[in-house]
Amino acid sequence: MNNPTIFSQILKGEIPCDEVYSDELCLGFRDISPQAPVHILIIPRKNISSLKDAEKKDAELLGHLLIVAGQIANKEGLEDWRTVINTGEKAGQTVFHLHLHVIGGRPLEWPPG
Ligand code: AMP
């Protein structure tokens, strides 16, 4: 079930965001609670709750999000960065509109918590 989320409201312009990228398929904006000097979220304009709900027909869209992640990281001057997609509550997903985190600007440890 695709319930509207805060990200749907951002897409509709009902709540502001610190936009860094926009095209017909997705929107990129700075995370409100950054975990690193660069922390950007990329969200599809299509309402997909999580990666669990992505379908084969979404393959091109998902690939596009990854390409945009690289373009944004490059524009932000990042040489190394991490892309994260949290899927499900126990994996840390709090907003149920598929989104990709681009995190960088400091050394990142592995494994994550
Ligand atoms: P996740 O925990 O993977 O679902 O990530 C959700 C992210 O959305 C978190 O890092 C939040 O800080 C971020 N977030 C929540 N509300 C907003 C908002 N209004 N603007 C920007 N980022 C937000």
Side-chain angles (χ1 to χ4, degrees), residues 6-7 10 15-17 29-33 39 41 86 92-95 99 101:
I6 196 156
F7 290 173
I10 287 176
I15 10 181
C17 71
F29 53 92
R30 294 190 195 281
D31 197 293
I32 205 164
S33 174
H39 187 169
L41 302 173
N86 294 323
Q93 186 175 5
T94 57
V95 179
H99 54 281
H101 298 252

Side-chain angles (χ1 to χ4, degrees), residues 20-37:
V20 296
Y21 180 91
S22 177
D23 68 21
E24 69 285 5
L25 293 177
C26 67
L27 180 70
F29 53 92
R30 294 190 195 281
D31 197 293
I32 205 164
S33 174
Q35 302 302 311

Side-chain angles (χ1 to χ4, degrees), residues 82-95:
R82 186 170 294 167
T83 49
V84 173
I85 300 175
N86 294 323
T87 304
E89 269 175 37
K90 289 195 204 91
Q93 186 175 5
T94 57
V95 179

